[in-house]
Each structure stands twice: as C-alpha cells, then as structure tokens.
Amino acid sequence: MSNRDFIYFAGEGEKILEEMKGSKLTLKRFLKAFWIFYALASVVITVFNADRLITKDYKETSVYVPLDDSWDIIINDNVYSNINIEDFRFDTASKGDIIVMYKKLPEDWDIPEGTLRIHTKQSAVKIYIDDNLVYDYGHGRFMNGKTTGTGYQFIDFPDEYKGKNLKIEWFVTEDNVFSKIDSIRIYEWANAYRVIITENRLPFFLGSFLLVFGMVTGIITIIVLAFSIKFLRIFCVSMFSICMGLWTLCYYDIMLVFSIPLYSVSLMEYISLYLLPLPLTVYLYGDVKTLGNKYIKAFFWLLLSVQLIFITVTMVLHTMDIVHFAATLKYMHVIIVSSLAYFLLVLILNLKKSRVKNKIFLLGMLFIVICIAYDLAGYCMDRYLGYSPFSLKGVSSMGVMVFVFILIIDFYMDMTKKAMQETERNSLLKSAYTDDLTQLNNRRYCKEYMHKIDKGSTAGYTIFCFDLNNLKVMNDTYGHARGDALIKSAAAVIAETFGDYGIVARMGGDEFAAVLKTSDEAEVARLAGSLLENIARKNQETPGLDMSMAYGYACGSREENNIEKLYQAADNRMYKHKEQMKKSGLAAAR
C-alpha cells in the first residue's frame, strides 16, 4: 500500500468514526427526548383518569345553598347594608380589626344534615343563631398570642336554623391578611369534604404525587448517601418534592380532610413553603461550581446563608409567639423571587459556556418560574386587592412536577455520563497496570505497589521472584503459541498459590514476582511447598506442558530493610535456585 493510499484510508476511517459519534449523540438525544415525552404523557394520562374518577359524581355532591347576598356588615365603625359578599371589597384587614356580619337565613333549603362552610384567614370567629353562640374558634389561641391559621371550617347547621338570624363575628389576628370575604355556603355534611377534593382535584393529585414520590425517593437516597455523596442531588430533588407536595396539600385545604386542626395545617403550609428554596439551592451548587466565577459563588453562599438564617429566626419567633409566619410571609416571597432569579442567572451562564447538559433543563426552570409567578400574583391580588383573576389551581405544583421529572432525567444522564467516564478510566488504568497476555499485574504496578509499602507500611512482608524454565526451548521447538500457553499456565499457578496473600505480577518475559503481606517464615515455606504441588498438578492436567520454575524469596519489614534491597535479595536467590536446577538438569537454557 502506498503512502497516498494509506492517507486516504486513514482519512476515510476518521470520517466513519465522526459519523459513528454523530449517530451515537443523535441516539442519546432521541432517548432523552423520548423519556421526557414518556414521563409527561404518563402524567397527563394519569391526571386525566384520576380527574374523571373524582368528578363522576360532582354534579350530585356539589349541591349547596349560597349565602352570599343580603348581608349587613360592620367593619370597625363602618356600616354596609344589603351586601353581596362576592362583589364586596374593603381595605385590607389587620390585627385587631373586628368584622360583624348579619343575615336572615332562608326559610327552607333542600340540604339534609347541612353544614355551614366558611373560609377564615388568620382570624378567630364566632357564629350566632338568634344571638345564641353556636360556634367559637380561635379566641383562646388569639388571647394567648398564638396563630389561628387559614382554611375552611365546617359548622353543623341543622334544619332548625331555617329562617333564623345568622350573625358572624371575625376577629383578625394578623396584619394585612384579607380584603374580601369568601363565599359562604351550606353543603350536605356527607359531601362537605368531598367537595374540597373535587374542586381542588388537580392540586390534590399533584401534591399527593410530589409528597409520596419525595418521601419514597428520600428514604432510598438517605440509605444510598451512606455509600456515595453522588446521590446528594437526587436527595435535594426528593426534599424539594416533599416541600412542594406538602405545601400544595395544605394551601388548598386538602389536609383538612384528615381531621388535622386548622392551625396545624397552616403551620405545615408555612414550614414547607419556607423550606422550599433550600434543597433547590443546594442542588444548584454543582452548576455554580462549574462556572468558576468567584462572585457567583460568593452570592451562592450569601443566598444559602440568608435562607438558613431567615428560616431559623422565623421558626424561633413563631414558636415563641413573638412574630408569626403570617407576618413574615412577604419577606419570604422576596427570598423566593430572588432565589429563582439567581437560579435562572446560573443556568443561563452555564448555557453560554456550553456546560448545561441540555436546554430542556433551562426551559424547565423558566416554566417553574412562570408557574410560581402565576400563583404568587394570584395570591397577592387576592390578599391585598380582594380579586382572584386566575381560576386554574395548582399551577406551581404542576410546574414543580414537570421540573422534578427534568431534574431526575438530568441526574440520570449525569450519573450515566459519570459511570461511562469511570468505566473508561478504569479500563485505561487496567490497561496501564495489567499484563495483556496473563492478565496479572504488570511490572509498573508491582514497582508502584512496592514503593507504597516502602513509604507507609511497617508490617512484615515477603517478596518472591520467579523465573520460568525452558521457555526459549518451547518457543524454538513448538512456536510462540506454545510458549505463550506455558507463560499463561505459570501465571495461573503463581496466582492460585499466592493471590490470596498479596499481589502477583509479571515482570516481563518469563519473570514473575509476588509481594505477600506476611513475613512469617513458616507460612512462607508452606506457600513455597504449595507452589511445587500446584506445578506438579498442572503438569499432570496438561500433557506435554513440562512446566518448572526457579524461585527465591526474602522476608522483612520497612523498619528492617529497604524494599528494593529485599527484592534484589529475592532475585539473587532465585538465580541461585535456577543454577542449581540447571546443574541437576531440571532447567534448560532460557
């Protein structure tokens, strides 16, 4: 083959390799997109089926008597008459404000075993029928400086209340909590909680999934973390999922179905919300680190410190009833918005440096920012302006659910890449330290191993040197294939005899060595005897093998001998043994 032909074929080979790499990259991208599509499709199908199951009886179970019109309302000293509370707005209520509502109940309603549903927001409430107190919530907690919580309350409302006068007194326990009163209705008692699930079915499904997924993944990951820190990011995903799932179930009052007190549900809601940015911040540390920007990294530690300090301080203040979570919520919103802006900045900078694994990760982050902004805007408008312009519920949970899937896929891809790199690295190390023919350690590995012993170990050790006899005669007479078979057999015998007591290596050609973790003369002599027995057995099992080898050994320790001198002593004794074998006719020329 001419040089021109060789260059042509080499160029063609490189083109083929590049095409193979491109095809492999395309396949990886296709598989990644497929799994994302599969995950999202599974979520959509599951949500659709669950929604159909929950809503099949909604028309029958959601029947209620509305009590929104014809109210007379007194807010502090302001009097309002004939009010429909759906359209009624007022200045944001604050701690100490008292709202009193009067209304004559309908003469009749077709609701057996009725229950009055009201939605209280950080308020104590009293309900009277014809000036008789029939329900009292939160006053004891309010007088003791404790939080009252936010959520639905259900009050037994029998038929005998028909046509009587209803009076509701609200005692606001926190500042700036609401500027409108939610719809007041009478439901059938048996359906009251079911209506909550049905009306909030999307948050119910998403929150339940995130909570269960996070708990299962977290338990598994905690166990795995004991063996590898690589799974810290998946642990962060699970904690993020738990916080978001728990917040969703509490915020949409679904946890009330389990008969948990209202103030406890509110407490879980605040704690899960305040903890929410923390695991996502820790998760992002790997991406911050890859940027190598000291300012970005410094801001990361600042943000993490602010989150930890704020969470700790607010929890202490709330526990001691000095300042409740409701009063610090606006500051938490600022931290959440700041954290999301920082996360986006880090991802965009990584994208510019081509260090983001895929653009889908960035799109997922953008999606969750939009979803959280949607819910946050709706919450603030409802709390401070008394308007709820957005009807779709559970948007943040939906965004988080999609984002969790993306984080899982990202983690999987990252772990797969690292596993491939580790496999490749191990393969290269094995090639560098392994003899191709015998698969024993090679000379380089043996020398480095002895160097480590010489530097660190004080225990006793023994070095064996071996020389295979008659290899040249075997190569010259029967060919190198038979010679290679003889070398492999010798390697197998030495490894079988000494492998459990240290390392065995081929030093080159027909020479081998073993470094044993013992200097016991009796033990070493026994192993030497086992070597001869194993050689004899191998010769019996393989007709025509006629294997023999010379050996020598030296025992010592780092405190007594330099390991190189010990190796030389073993090598000298091996050569003396070989000379003796030649004289006795047991070894031919090498």
Side-chain angles (χ1 to χ4, degrees):
M1 182 183 291
S2 67
N3 288 337
R4 181 179 298 175
D5 291 335
F6 178 80
I7 293 171
Y8 171 77
F9 283 114
E12 289 298 311
E14 289 181 359
K15 289 181 181 179
I16 293 172
L17 288 175
E18 289 298 323
E19 290 177 0
M20 290 175 64
K21 288 180 180 178
S23 300
K24 189 174 180 181
L25 183 60
T26 302
L27 179 61
K28 286 177 67 176
R29 288 175 177 172
F30 170 77
L31 290 174
K32 189 185 299 184
F34 170 77
W35 281 113
I36 293 174
F37 173 78
Y38 174 78
L40 294 177
S42 299
V43 171
V44 171
I45 293 171
T46 304
V47 170
F48 175 77
N49 290 330
D51 181 77
R52 187 173 58 179
L53 179 65
I54 292 173
T55 59
K56 64 179 182 178
D57 298 325
Y58 180 63
K59 187 175 181 180
E60 293 78 16
T61 59
S62 61
V63 175
Y64 65 89
V65 176
L67 300 179
D68 292 341
D69 59 349
S70 303
W71 286 94
D72 293 326
I73 301 176
I74 302 174
I75 302 178
N76 297 326
D77 297 326
N78 300 314
V79 180
Y80 307 88
S81 299
N82 196 25
I83 296 297
N84 186 316
I85 59 175
E86 285 189 347
D87 305 319
F88 184 55
R89 306 291 184 273
F90 47 87
D91 293 337
T92 308
S94 294
K95 187 174 182 179
D97 287 348
I98 299 175
I99 301 173
V100 184
M101 304 172 60
Y102 301 90
K103 175 185 175 63
K104 183 177 178 63
L105 292 171
E107 295 291 340
D108 194 19
W109 58 69
D110 190 19
I111 298 289
E113 298 182 5
T115 178
L116 183 71
R117 190 186 81 173
I118 62 173
H119 192 258
T120 61
K121 299 176 180 179
Q122 299 298 338
S123 301
V125 63
K126 288 183 178 181
I127 297 178
Y128 298 84
I129 297 293
D130 283 348
D131 294 327
N132 295 315
L133 181 65
V134 296
Y135 184 76
D136 184 359
Y137 169 78
H139 282 82
R141 296 186 61 82
F142 177 48
M143 296 304 294
N144 292 322
K146 297 184 178 298
T147 183
T148 53
T150 297
Y152 284 115
Q153 298 194 51
F154 297 92
I155 299 95
D156 186 28
F157 229 63
D159 290 348
E160 62 189 60
Y161 290 172
K162 294 176 181 178
K164 295 185 178 181
N165 294 312
L166 171 64
K167 175 183 173 183
I168 303 176
E169 292 181 348
W170 309 80
F171 300 85
V172 184
T173 60
E174 301 290 346
D175 288 330
N176 301 316
V177 287
F178 62 92
S179 55
K180 71 179 293 287
I181 296 169
D182 293 327
S183 180
I184 300 174
R185 302 171 180 178
I186 300 174
Y187 284 95
E188 183 180 348
W189 180 263
N191 297 325
Y193 287 100
R194 186 174 178 181
V195 169
I196 292 180
I197 298 295
T198 307
E199 292 179 344
N200 298 285
R201 54 194 180 276
L202 184 60
F204 167 66
F205 174 76
L206 296 175
S208 299
F209 173 83
L210 290 172
L211 183 61
V212 173
F213 167 81
M215 291 176 66
V216 173
T217 308
I219 291 171
I220 296 173
T221 312
I222 286 175
I223 298 172
V224 179
L225 275 175
F227 303 95
S228 175
I229 196 66
K230 295 178 181 178
F231 292 90
L232 177 61
R233 298 191 83 180
I234 199 71
F235 179 73
C236 292
V237 173
S238 65
M239 293 300 102
F240 182 65
S241 181
I242 289 173
C243 291
M244 192 67 208
L246 188 60
W247 176 83
T248 301
L249 295 176
C250 293
Y251 181 74
Y252 292 98
D253 296 304
I254 298 166
M255 292 297 288
L256 293 175
V257 175
F258 302 101
S259 299
I260 301 174
L262 183 62
Y263 52 84
S264 297
V265 173
S266 288
L267 180 61
M268 288 189 290
E269 175 191 338
Y270 282 115
I271 290 176
S272 56
L273 178 65
Y274 282 38
L275 291 175
L276 194 59
L278 199 57
L280 193 57
T281 305
V282 176
Y283 180 94
L284 206 68
Y285 179 69
D287 296 307
V288 173
K289 195 174 180 181
T290 58
L291 286 174
N293 186 304
K294 63 179 182 179
Y295 298 107
I296 297 292
K297 194 172 183 179
F299 191 82
F300 169 85
W301 291 114
L302 176 63
L303 181 64
L304 185 62
S305 300
V306 169
Q307 291 174 359
L308 288 170
I309 293 171
F310 183 79
I311 292 168
T312 304
V313 171
T314 51
M315 284 188 177
V316 171
L317 293 176
H318 182 90
T319 303
M320 299 177 67
D321 293 316
I322 299 173
V323 179
H324 294 144
F325 283 128
T328 59
L329 183 60
K330 56 186 176 182
Y331 305 112
M332 190 65 224
H333 288 161
V334 173
I335 291 177
I336 290 175
V337 171
S338 302
S339 300
L340 290 174
Y342 176 73
F343 299 157
L344 277 176
L345 174 64
V346 170
L347 292 175
I348 291 171
L349 291 176
N350 270 289
L351 185 63
K352 287 184 176 180
K353 290 194 173 185
S354 301
R355 289 176 178 169
V356 172
K357 291 83 178 173
N358 51 75
K359 294 181 180 179
I360 298 176
F361 187 86
L362 180 59
L363 292 175
M365 196 67 198
L366 287 171
F367 183 59
I368 193 175
V369 168
I370 293 171
C371 291
I372 291 177
Y374 174 96
D375 276 353
L376 188 59
Y379 173 83
C380 291
M381 292 179 71
D382 179 69
R383 177 169 178 170
Y384 301 113
L385 302 177
Y387 291 96
S388 301
F390 308 132
S391 58
L392 185 60
K393 299 180 179 180
V395 174
S396 292
S397 302
M398 189 186 307
V400 169
M401 191 169 181
V402 173
F403 189 61
V404 164
F405 275 112
I406 293 174
L407 290 178
I408 293 294
I409 293 169
D410 172 67
F411 175 78
Y412 170 76
M413 293 297 177
D414 189 50
M415 291 298 293
T416 302
K417 181 180 178 181
K418 288 181 179 179
M420 292 175 65
Q421 290 174 343
E422 187 71 18
T423 301
E424 185 177 357
R425 177 178 173 275
N426 291 338
S427 177
L428 291 173
L429 285 174
K430 185 177 180 181
S431 299
Y433 290 110
T434 303
D435 177 66
D436 289 337
L437 180 61
T438 64
Q439 295 303 302
L440 294 180
N441 299 307
N442 60 14
R443 183 184 188 88
R444 176 191 293 177
Y445 183 86
C446 186
K447 289 293 185 181
E448 289 186 10
Y449 184 80
M450 288 193 297
H451 180 71
K452 288 180 181 177
I453 290 177
D454 203 32
K455 291 293 183 183
S457 177
T458 58
Y461 51 86
T462 298
I463 297 179
F464 266 87
C465 291
F466 310 92
D467 189 281
L468 181 61
N469 296 323
N470 306 323
L471 179 61
K472 187 175 185 304
V473 174
M474 184 70 74
N475 285 333
D476 293 344
T477 306
Y478 302 104
H480 285 277
R482 287 287 295 274
D484 289 346
L486 180 61
I487 292 173
K488 289 181 181 179
S489 297
V493 167
I494 295 171
E496 178 186 359
T497 307
F498 300 98
D500 292 338
Y501 300 89
I503 65 133
V504 177
R506 183 186 179 196
M507 305 300 284
D510 53 5
E511 296 182 357
F512 300 85
V515 182
L516 312 183
K517 298 175 182 178
T518 179
S519 59
D520 188 325
E521 291 279 358
E523 181 71 6
V524 172
R526 184 189 66 78
L527 290 173
S530 297
L531 174 67
L532 298 177
E533 293 174 1
N534 291 335
I535 291 173
R537 178 176 52 78
K538 192 70 172 179
N539 285 332
Q540 288 181 350
E541 293 173 354
T542 312
L545 183 64
D546 194 26
M547 176 174 56
S548 70
M549 66 180 73
Y551 66 87
Y553 64 85
C555 304
S557 69
R558 177 172 172 269
E559 293 179 342
E560 300 169 356
N561 303 92
N562 177 278
I563 198 165
E564 287 293 340
K565 292 182 179 179
L566 205 66
Y567 176 82
Q568 191 61 50
D571 195 53
N572 293 338
R573 291 171 186 173
M574 181 270 292
Y575 276 108
K576 288 182 181 178
H577 185 209
K578 192 172 186 69
E579 289 299 323
Q580 293 173 0
M581 296 181 76
K582 283 183 179 180
K583 290 178 182 178
S584 61
L586 295 176
R590 296 173 66 189

